[in-house]
Amino acid sequence: MSSSGRLNESYIDTLANISGVSSVAGVLSITDTSSSESQGINSGSRGEFGPMSGLSLNGINRDKLSLVGIKDVNGSFFKEGTNEVILGKSAAESQNKTIGDNITIASTNFKITGIFETGSIMTDSGGAYTSLSKLQNITDSNYVNQILIKTTEGANDTTISENIEKKYGGDDLSTITAEEQAEMLNNAIGILDMASLAISALAILIGGIGIINTMIMVVYERTKEIGVLKAVGWTSNRVLGMILGETLVLTLVSGVVGTIFGILMSEIGIRLLGSGPGSDMFSLAYTANTFILAFGVAILVGIIGGIYPAYRASKLAPTEALRYE
């Protein structure tokens, strides 16, 4: 890649001759941040990854499509030098397009000849591909802004990457391996996981405090009732079990209400995202483990939050409780 977004095409042949490199492809990308019928163009250095803000049109030689994960299409591949594109499945669905339809990207009308699905959310939701020569002709350019390199079996990607930067890098060219990309993604996911854990811990803490406060008030308000129960023969353990049981019922009812509310808010949120570009990158998935964990935590918080109020109720002396006003 280049910090300027422009790489001389001569790099393609140069890098193809490096030991350990089996295939090289130049990619030129432009991003139409408006709708498929608008005229806006934003040139950039986006490669095979479609942006969230709009549809990315990528130029690449047809025989190099496998380097971006496109091996098969429903329909047919584009012909070199023609106004034909293949579109990612998610992008086609969001644009309401199918094979044979026309689509306007970068002020140019293209015919969709095929729909592809790579399994990559970014590629399938934001990527349209045409021939490199056609896109260079449209943008009046003779450069690429990304070069994809496939190494031979058993080659050390990191070593090849470092050799390329050492020999050709300087201030203009930089490299990144698939392993480094995966590590960056894992780090980002790790940060999100930590944030999610912190929010969950805060919610559990607030929930626990709420339960304790609620049940203490219940004990205070029912002090005389508890005194009567103990006066007619209820043991401390029975009173303890009654308060803990009520706490668990309250917690479970709250868990059901919270689950319904959470699903509704999630559905509303995903539909709001669904009205904008890149919406196909988001989807909801509900699993049994999620609900089991949620109710397990709810029950645990209920037990912990109800222990003190229940213990306090069980230790009330009948005579003092009956005098309580």
Side-chain angles (χ1 to χ4, degrees):
M1 296 174 289
S2 168
S3 57
S4 66
R6 299 188 176 193
L7 287 170
N8 194 301
E9 279 192 280
S10 63
Y11 274 121
I12 297 175
D13 293 331
T14 301
L15 297 177
N17 293 322
I18 293 178
S19 176
V21 172
S22 66
S23 184
V24 177
V27 179
L28 177 63
S29 302
I30 59 175
T31 304
D32 190 344
T33 57
S34 53
S35 69
S36 61
E37 300 301 324
S38 64
Q39 307 300 315
I41 304 175
N42 175 29
S43 295
S45 58
R46 301 304 294 260
E48 71 271 35
F49 302 112
M52 292 176 63
S53 57
L55 193 64
S56 175
L57 179 60
N58 307 283
I60 186 173
N61 291 337
R62 176 179 165 178
D63 60 347
K64 300 294 185 179
L65 283 169
S66 61
L67 269 68
V68 294
I70 303 174
K71 298 179 181 178
D72 298 298
V73 296
N74 183 14
S76 60
F77 290 100
F78 55 80
K79 294 183 178 67
E80 294 288 346
T82 63
N83 284 33
E84 295 180 347
V85 295
I86 57 175
L87 202 59
K89 181 179 179 181
S90 298
E93 290 173 352
S94 66
Q95 297 286 333
N96 196 26
K97 299 291 184 180
T98 188
I99 299 171
D101 289 347
N102 292 324
I103 185 170
T104 301
I105 313 175
S107 305
T108 304
N109 191 49
F110 290 92
K111 180 181 178 181
I112 301 173
T113 62
I115 305 293
F116 65 83
E117 184 176 12
T118 64
S120 166
I121 296 175
M122 300 293 286
T123 304
D124 294 345
S125 64
Y129 286 83
T130 188
S131 65
L132 177 59
S133 61
K134 182 62 186 179
L135 189 53
Q136 287 178 326
N137 180 264
I138 293 172
T139 57
D140 193 25
S141 60
N142 59 356
Y143 59 85
V144 295
N145 47 40
Q146 186 173 175
I147 297 176
L148 306 178
I149 298 175
K150 181 179 181 180
T151 56
T152 56
E153 188 70 25
N156 189 310
D157 294 349
T158 302
T159 300
I160 293 174
S161 175
E162 290 174 351
N163 289 340
I164 291 173
E165 283 206 3
K166 187 183 297 183
K167 191 170 183 178
Y168 306 105
D171 298 325
D172 185 55
L173 187 146
S174 62
T175 62
I176 183 170
T177 66
E179 183 179 4
E180 290 170 339
Q181 285 181 322
E183 186 177 349
M184 291 169 60
L185 182 60
N186 287 336
N187 290 338
I189 292 174
I191 293 172
L192 291 176
D193 284 343
M194 289 298 295
S196 176
L197 182 62
I199 293 171
S200 299
L202 181 61
I204 292 171
L205 177 62
I206 293 173
I209 293 173
I211 291 171
I212 292 172
N213 181 66
T214 300
M215 296 313 298
I216 286 178
M217 293 304 299
V218 166
V219 171
Y220 273 123
E221 291 172 359
R222 296 169 61 189
T223 297
K224 197 166 186 176
E225 176 190 337
I226 293 170
V228 171
L229 292 174
K230 297 197 75 172
V232 298
W234 278 46
T235 63
S236 295
N237 287 339
R238 190 173 180 184
V239 173
L240 180 71
M242 179 186 72
I243 300 300
L244 277 178
E246 292 177 359
T247 304
L248 287 177
V249 170
L250 174 66
T251 304
L252 288 173
V253 171
S254 300
V256 171
V257 173
T259 297
I260 295 172
F261 182 75
I263 291 174
L264 287 175
M265 292 302 294
S266 298
E267 292 289 347
I268 291 171
I270 205 70
R271 277 161 177 72
L272 290 176
L273 285 172
S275 62
S279 57
D280 294 309
M281 294 178 61
F282 302 95
S283 62
L284 295 176
Y286 303 105
T287 64
N289 288 339
T290 300
F291 295 107
I292 291 172
L293 178 62
F295 278 94
V297 170
I299 292 171
L300 180 62
V301 170
I303 293 173
I304 294 174
I307 285 177
Y308 173 71
Y311 176 78
R312 179 184 174 85
S314 68
K315 293 303 179 182
L316 284 173
T319 53
E320 294 180 8
L322 289 170
R323 290 199 302 267
Y324 181 81
E325 293 294 340

